[in-house]
Each structure stands twice: as structure tokens, then as C-alpha cells.
Amino acid sequence: NPGLTRSLAPDAEAGILQAVMDAVPVRDLVYYERESNLAVLPAVLQRRLPHASELLASPGMRSVLRQARQDFDWIVLDLPPLGPVIDARAMVSQIDALVLVLEGAFVLTIGGQEVRAQPATIVRMPANVPHAVRATEPSRMLLIMLREPKPD
């Protein structure tokens, strides 16, 4: 997200694109926000990317996520909403997720198995397993994307 980069790492000259496309190590590109010690991998855009979704689904992006998992306990991906923009959808298969139903009812299909979910239900959707979510009535849910745990 270039807006986040402008506010947290305004002097960045390289970032996630160089990590994904040129295999620059993530730890060489991360900026630390002084007050919170938040680590940010900037989005330095030197030109418009016509196919950002392809970049996000690429082997280079999988490598960036693997590197980040080694160095950080929590990884937050600042992606656009899933509805109108395809970029975020390109990442979904690579990241485990939890669905917490807040209101209404959903039918989730995970690996071909249907799961019915009501309020207060939490359903895990593993990475790389085909899944779908369908609201059976007006509903709200919280989608939490997770990284895989570090091996002991």
C-alpha cells in the first residue's frame, strides 16, 4: 500500500517489489517505525503495475512470505477489500484463515466439505485448500488471515 509507505517509510527507495521480482532479501528492505517498532516492508512503486494480482500470486511472493515468517511473529498484509479488486484474492490461497461469524449464517465449503456456521462459530480454512463462503441470509463475518507457526 503506497499510502502506508508514504506515512511510515517516506524515504524508502526499494521494497516489496524488489523482494518479489529481484529476490532482494526481505530483511534488507524492512523499515522500523520508531515509536511502535513496527516493521514495514514498503511498497515503492516506480511505475504502475498492470497485473498486481499475478505478482501477489507469484513464486517470488511466496518466497517473501517464507522469509517474513522466519523473522516475524505476526505478519499483517495491507490488501484492498476482496470484493471489487482482484489483488487481494491472489493472496488468499497462500495464507491460512479463520472465519468468525458475527451475524447471520454462512455455508463454507472447504476441500469439498460443507460447514454450516452461525454466530460465534469459528471455522479454520487451511492455505492451499479450495474453499468458498456463501451467506444464506444477511450476514457479517470477520476474516482473520494467519501465518503458519514457526517450527519448534
Side-chain angles (χ1 to χ4, degrees):
N1 180 334
L4 186 63
T5 295
R6 280 190 296 275
S7 56
L8 296 177
D11 299 325
E13 295 180 9
I16 193 166
L17 292 179
Q18 289 69 29
V20 172
M21 297 169 66
D22 303 329
V24 176
V26 169
R27 64 176 52 127
D28 293 348
L29 299 167
V30 170
Y31 275 69
Y32 289 89
E33 197 274 328
R34 287 185 183 140
E35 287 184 34
S36 66
N37 202 31
L38 175 73
V40 176
L41 180 57
V44 178
L45 301 177
Q46 295 160 344
R47 64 185 185 288
R48 181 164 163 70
L49 293 174
H51 302 289
S53 60
E54 290 176 13
L55 186 74
L56 292 171
S58 72
M61 186 63 183
R62 284 191 291 279
S63 175
V64 165
L65 290 174
R66 268 193 306 277
Q67 291 175 57
R69 287 178 182 127
Q70 291 174 0
D71 294 337
F72 301 100
D73 292 328
W74 292 96
I75 301 168
V76 178
L77 301 173
D78 186 11
L79 299 168
L82 287 175
V85 182
I86 196 168
D87 296 357
R89 292 179 189 210
M91 293 298 302
V92 170
S93 69
Q94 299 180 51
I95 303 168
D96 283 358
L98 296 177
V99 171
L100 169 60
V101 178
L102 303 173
E103 295 176 3
F106 292 91
V107 174
L108 296 92
T109 305
I110 304 167
Q113 300 294 318
E114 280 195 359
V115 176
R116 298 199 179 277
Q118 303 292 327
T121 304
I122 298 175
V123 180
R124 180 177 174 264
M125 297 188 306
N128 301 312
V129 174
H131 57 270
V133 178
R134 178 174 51 88
T136 57
E137 60 187 68
S139 304
R140 291 184 342 152
M141 70 175 192
L142 176 64
L143 177 65
I144 304 165
M145 309 296 272
L146 304 171
R147 67 169 188 86
E148 66 186 42
K150 291 182 181 178
D152 291 342

mmCIF file of all heavy atoms in Angstrom, residues 68-93:
data_model
loop_
_atom_site.group_PDB
_atom_site.id
_atom_site.type_symbol
_atom_site.label_atom_id
_atom_site.label_comp_id
_atom_site.label_asym_id
_atom_site.label_seq_id
_atom_site.Cartn_x
_atom_site.Cartn_y
_atom_site.Cartn_z
ATOM 1 N N ALA A 68 9.524 -13.676 5.641
ATOM 2 C CA ALA A 68 8.900 -12.904 6.706
ATOM 3 C C ALA A 68 8.496 -13.804 7.869
ATOM 4 O O ALA A 68 8.631 -13.424 9.034
ATOM 5 C CB ALA A 68 7.685 -12.141 6.157
ATOM 6 N N ARG A 69 8.025 -15.012 7.577
ATOM 7 C CA ARG A 69 7.633 -15.950 8.638
ATOM 8 C C ARG A 69 8.828 -16.334 9.510
ATOM 9 O O ARG A 69 8.649 -16.643 10.690
ATOM 10 C CB ARG A 69 7.014 -17.196 8.026
ATOM 11 C CG ARG A 69 5.633 -16.971 7.478
ATOM 12 C CD ARG A 69 5.078 -18.241 6.839
ATOM 13 N NE ARG A 69 3.778 -17.976 6.285
ATOM 14 C CZ ARG A 69 3.436 -18.239 5.025
ATOM 15 N NH1 ARG A 69 4.306 -18.782 4.202
ATOM 16 N NH2 ARG A 69 2.235 -17.961 4.595
ATOM 17 N N GLN A 70 10.003 -16.327 8.947
ATOM 18 C CA GLN A 70 11.204 -16.676 9.720
ATOM 19 C C GLN A 70 11.592 -15.572 10.694
ATOM 20 O O GLN A 70 12.147 -15.855 11.754
ATOM 21 C CB GLN A 70 12.374 -16.954 8.782
ATOM 22 C CG GLN A 70 12.215 -18.215 7.970
ATOM 23 C CD GLN A 70 13.320 -18.378 6.936
ATOM 24 O OE1 GLN A 70 14.211 -17.549 6.816
ATOM 25 N NE2 GLN A 70 13.260 -19.465 6.195
ATOM 26 N N ASP A 71 11.315 -14.327 10.353
ATOM 27 C CA ASP A 71 11.798 -13.189 11.140
ATOM 28 C C ASP A 71 10.748 -12.530 12.029
ATOM 29 O O ASP A 71 11.110 -11.766 12.926
ATOM 30 C CB ASP A 71 12.384 -12.120 10.212
ATOM 31 C CG ASP A 71 13.649 -12.595 9.508
ATOM 32 O OD1 ASP A 71 14.305 -13.513 10.026
ATOM 33 O OD2 ASP A 71 13.977 -12.035 8.446
ATOM 34 N N PHE A 72 9.458 -12.778 11.783
ATOM 35 C CA PHE A 72 8.415 -12.041 12.486
ATOM 36 C C PHE A 72 7.365 -12.986 13.052
ATOM 37 O O PHE A 72 7.044 -14.006 12.451
ATOM 38 C CB PHE A 72 7.747 -11.031 11.548
ATOM 39 C CG PHE A 72 8.718 -10.029 10.991
ATOM 40 C CD1 PHE A 72 9.233 -10.174 9.714
ATOM 41 C CD2 PHE A 72 9.143 -8.962 11.765
ATOM 42 C CE1 PHE A 72 10.155 -9.267 9.204
ATOM 43 C CE2 PHE A 72 10.059 -8.048 11.271
ATOM 44 C CZ PHE A 72 10.568 -8.202 9.992
ATOM 45 N N ASP A 73 6.830 -12.624 14.223
ATOM 46 C CA ASP A 73 5.768 -13.402 14.849
ATOM 47 C C ASP A 73 4.418 -13.148 14.200
ATOM 48 O O ASP A 73 3.583 -14.037 14.128
ATOM 49 C CB ASP A 73 5.678 -13.072 16.341
ATOM 50 C CG ASP A 73 6.895 -13.569 17.098
ATOM 51 O OD1 ASP A 73 7.463 -14.605 16.706
ATOM 52 O OD2 ASP A 73 7.284 -12.905 18.068
ATOM 53 N N TRP A 74 4.173 -11.917 13.778
ATOM 54 C CA TRP A 74 2.912 -11.535 13.158
ATOM 55 C C TRP A 74 3.205 -10.864 11.827
ATOM 56 O O TRP A 74 4.103 -10.026 11.737
ATOM 57 C CB TRP A 74 2.126 -10.557 14.040
ATOM 58 C CG TRP A 74 1.637 -11.190 15.298
ATOM 59 C CD1 TRP A 74 2.232 -11.165 16.520
ATOM 60 C CD2 TRP A 74 0.471 -11.975 15.444
ATOM 61 N NE1 TRP A 74 1.509 -11.875 17.420
ATOM 62 C CE2 TRP A 74 0.408 -12.384 16.790
ATOM 63 C CE3 TRP A 74 -0.542 -12.369 14.570
ATOM 64 C CZ2 TRP A 74 -0.618 -13.164 17.277
ATOM 65 C CZ3 TRP A 74 -1.571 -13.141 15.073
ATOM 66 C CH2 TRP A 74 -1.595 -13.531 16.414
ATOM 67 N N ILE A 75 2.425 -11.203 10.825
ATOM 68 C CA ILE A 75 2.543 -10.590 9.501
ATOM 69 C C ILE A 75 1.165 -10.049 9.142
ATOM 70 O O ILE A 75 0.187 -10.797 9.108
ATOM 71 C CB ILE A 75 3.000 -11.605 8.441
ATOM 72 C CG1 ILE A 75 4.356 -12.193 8.838
ATOM 73 C CG2 ILE A 75 3.049 -10.949 7.062
ATOM 74 C CD1 ILE A 75 4.753 -13.396 8.026
ATOM 75 N N VAL A 76 1.086 -8.758 8.898
ATOM 76 C CA VAL A 76 -0.164 -8.123 8.501
ATOM 77 C C VAL A 76 -0.009 -7.687 7.052
ATOM 78 O O VAL A 76 0.915 -6.936 6.726
ATOM 79 C CB VAL A 76 -0.482 -6.902 9.396
ATOM 80 C CG1 VAL A 76 -1.754 -6.220 8.931
ATOM 81 C CG2 VAL A 76 -0.584 -7.334 10.854
ATOM 82 N N LEU A 77 -0.893 -8.158 6.203
ATOM 83 C CA LEU A 77 -0.867 -7.776 4.795
ATOM 84 C C LEU A 77 -1.924 -6.718 4.566
ATOM 85 O O LEU A 77 -3.104 -6.950 4.834
ATOM 86 C CB LEU A 77 -1.129 -8.992 3.903
ATOM 87 C CG LEU A 77 -0.140 -10.143 4.059
ATOM 88 C CD1 LEU A 77 -0.605 -11.349 3.263
ATOM 89 C CD2 LEU A 77 1.246 -9.714 3.628
ATOM 90 N N ASP A 78 -1.514 -5.562 4.096
ATOM 91 C CA ASP A 78 -2.432 -4.465 3.820
ATOM 92 C C ASP A 78 -2.882 -4.599 2.373
ATOM 93 O O ASP A 78 -2.205 -4.146 1.461
ATOM 94 C CB ASP A 78 -1.723 -3.134 4.077
ATOM 95 C CG ASP A 78 -2.668 -1.949 3.957
ATOM 96 O OD1 ASP A 78 -3.890 -2.173 3.883
ATOM 97 O OD2 ASP A 78 -2.176 -0.815 3.944
ATOM 98 N N LEU A 79 -4.012 -5.247 2.181
ATOM 99 C CA LEU A 79 -4.541 -5.514 0.844
ATOM 100 C C LEU A 79 -5.898 -4.841 0.691
ATOM 101 O O LEU A 79 -6.583 -4.596 1.678
ATOM 102 C CB LEU A 79 -4.709 -7.024 0.639
ATOM 103 C CG LEU A 79 -3.431 -7.853 0.728
ATOM 104 C CD1 LEU A 79 -3.773 -9.334 0.797
ATOM 105 C CD2 LEU A 79 -2.530 -7.570 -0.461
ATOM 106 N N PRO A 80 -6.310 -4.574 -0.548
ATOM 107 C CA PRO A 80 -7.628 -3.976 -0.756
ATOM 108 C C PRO A 80 -8.734 -4.968 -0.390
ATOM 109 O O PRO A 80 -8.479 -6.163 -0.245
ATOM 110 C CB PRO A 80 -7.644 -3.661 -2.260
ATOM 111 C CG PRO A 80 -6.560 -4.461 -2.859
ATOM 112 C CD PRO A 80 -5.573 -4.783 -1.784
ATOM 113 N N PRO A 81 -9.974 -4.490 -0.243
ATOM 114 C CA PRO A 81 -11.093 -5.392 0.049
ATOM 115 C C PRO A 81 -11.205 -6.472 -1.021
ATOM 116 O O PRO A 81 -10.837 -6.254 -2.179
ATOM 117 C CB PRO A 81 -12.309 -4.475 0.012
ATOM 118 C CG PRO A 81 -11.777 -3.101 0.145
ATOM 119 C CD PRO A 81 -10.379 -3.111 -0.399
ATOM 120 N N LEU A 82 -11.730 -7.633 -0.632
ATOM 121 C CA LEU A 82 -11.830 -8.744 -1.576
ATOM 122 C C LEU A 82 -12.835 -8.499 -2.688
ATOM 123 O O LEU A 82 -12.672 -9.009 -3.779
ATOM 124 C CB LEU A 82 -12.225 -10.024 -0.842
ATOM 125 C CG LEU A 82 -11.122 -10.643 0.005
ATOM 126 C CD1 LEU A 82 -11.673 -11.833 0.776
ATOM 127 C CD2 LEU A 82 -9.962 -11.062 -0.853
ATOM 128 N N GLY A 83 -13.879 -7.739 -2.437
ATOM 129 C CA GLY A 83 -14.944 -7.580 -3.417
ATOM 130 C C GLY A 83 -14.509 -6.996 -4.752
ATOM 131 O O GLY A 83 -14.451 -7.691 -5.759
ATOM 132 N N PRO A 84 -14.191 -5.699 -4.799
ATOM 133 C CA PRO A 84 -14.020 -5.042 -6.080
ATOM 134 C C PRO A 84 -12.652 -5.220 -6.728
ATOM 135 O O PRO A 84 -12.490 -4.953 -7.896
ATOM 136 C CB PRO A 84 -14.241 -3.566 -5.742
ATOM 137 C CG PRO A 84 -13.802 -3.448 -4.328
ATOM 138 C CD PRO A 84 -14.171 -4.759 -3.688
ATOM 139 N N VAL A 85 -11.654 -5.664 -5.979
ATOM 140 C CA VAL A 85 -10.290 -5.692 -6.511
ATOM 141 C C VAL A 85 -9.748 -7.109 -6.440
ATOM 142 O O VAL A 85 -9.857 -7.773 -5.424
ATOM 143 C CB VAL A 85 -9.364 -4.745 -5.697
ATOM 144 C CG1 VAL A 85 -7.976 -4.723 -6.275
ATOM 145 C CG2 VAL A 85 -9.952 -3.349 -5.658
ATOM 146 N N ILE A 86 -9.149 -7.590 -7.519
ATOM 147 C CA ILE A 86 -8.669 -8.959 -7.569
ATOM 148 C C ILE A 86 -7.336 -9.157 -6.841
ATOM 149 O O ILE A 86 -6.995 -10.262 -6.453
ATOM 150 C CB ILE A 86 -8.556 -9.437 -9.038
ATOM 151 C CG1 ILE A 86 -8.451 -10.957 -9.084
ATOM 152 C CG2 ILE A 86 -7.371 -8.776 -9.721
ATOM 153 C CD1 ILE A 86 -8.624 -11.537 -10.447
ATOM 154 N N ASP A 87 -6.573 -8.093 -6.558
ATOM 155 C CA ASP A 87 -5.241 -8.233 -5.967
ATOM 156 C C ASP A 87 -5.254 -9.049 -4.679
ATOM 157 O O ASP A 87 -4.437 -9.937 -4.493
ATOM 158 C CB ASP A 87 -4.628 -6.864 -5.669
ATOM 159 C CG ASP A 87 -4.396 -6.050 -6.918
ATOM 160 O OD1 ASP A 87 -4.666 -6.567 -8.019
ATOM 161 O OD2 ASP A 87 -3.950 -4.905 -6.798
ATOM 162 N N ALA A 88 -6.162 -8.762 -3.777
ATOM 163 C CA ALA A 88 -6.218 -9.481 -2.503
ATOM 164 C C ALA A 88 -6.574 -10.945 -2.718
ATOM 165 O O ALA A 88 -6.072 -11.820 -2.029
ATOM 166 C CB ALA A 88 -7.220 -8.821 -1.572
ATOM 167 N N ARG A 89 -7.421 -11.221 -3.682
ATOM 168 C CA ARG A 89 -7.802 -12.614 -3.951
ATOM 169 C C ARG A 89 -6.601 -13.458 -4.362
ATOM 170 O O ARG A 89 -6.583 -14.654 -4.123
ATOM 171 C CB ARG A 89 -8.860 -12.670 -5.040
ATOM 172 C CG ARG A 89 -10.170 -12.097 -4.589
ATOM 173 C CD ARG A 89 -11.173 -12.147 -5.684
ATOM 174 N NE ARG A 89 -12.341 -11.390 -5.283
ATOM 175 C CZ ARG A 89 -13.545 -11.662 -5.678
ATOM 176 N NH1 ARG A 89 -13.769 -12.666 -6.482
ATOM 177 N NH2 ARG A 89 -14.548 -10.932 -5.275
ATOM 178 N N ALA A 90 -5.601 -12.852 -4.966
ATOM 179 C CA ALA A 90 -4.422 -13.592 -5.391
ATOM 180 C C ALA A 90 -3.642 -14.138 -4.208
ATOM 181 O O ALA A 90 -2.930 -15.119 -4.335
ATOM 182 C CB ALA A 90 -3.522 -12.692 -6.235
ATOM 183 N N MET A 91 -3.782 -13.537 -3.034
ATOM 184 C CA MET A 91 -3.041 -13.952 -1.845
ATOM 185 C C MET A 91 -3.777 -14.993 -1.016
ATOM 186 O O MET A 91 -3.173 -15.721 -0.248
ATOM 187 C CB MET A 91 -2.777 -12.738 -0.943
ATOM 188 C CG MET A 91 -1.844 -11.736 -1.528
ATOM 189 S SD MET A 91 -0.218 -12.419 -1.819
ATOM 190 C CE MET A 91 0.242 -12.960 -0.192
ATOM 191 N N VAL A 92 -5.076 -15.082 -1.158
ATOM 192 C CA VAL A 92 -5.894 -15.861 -0.242
ATOM 193 C C VAL A 92 -5.450 -17.317 -0.165
ATOM 194 O O VAL A 92 -5.400 -17.900 0.916
ATOM 195 C CB VAL A 92 -7.382 -15.744 -0.611
ATOM 196 C CG1 VAL A 92 -8.236 -16.718 0.160
ATOM 197 C CG2 VAL A 92 -7.851 -14.323 -0.365
ATOM 198 N N SER A 93 -5.106 -17.954 -1.264
ATOM 199 C CA SER A 93 -4.770 -19.373 -1.224
ATOM 200 C C SER A 93 -3.462 -19.651 -0.487
ATOM 201 O O SER A 93 -3.209 -20.776 -0.095
ATOM 202 C CB SER A 93 -4.690 -19.927 -2.649
ATOM 203 O OG SER A 93 -3.568 -19.374 -3.309
#
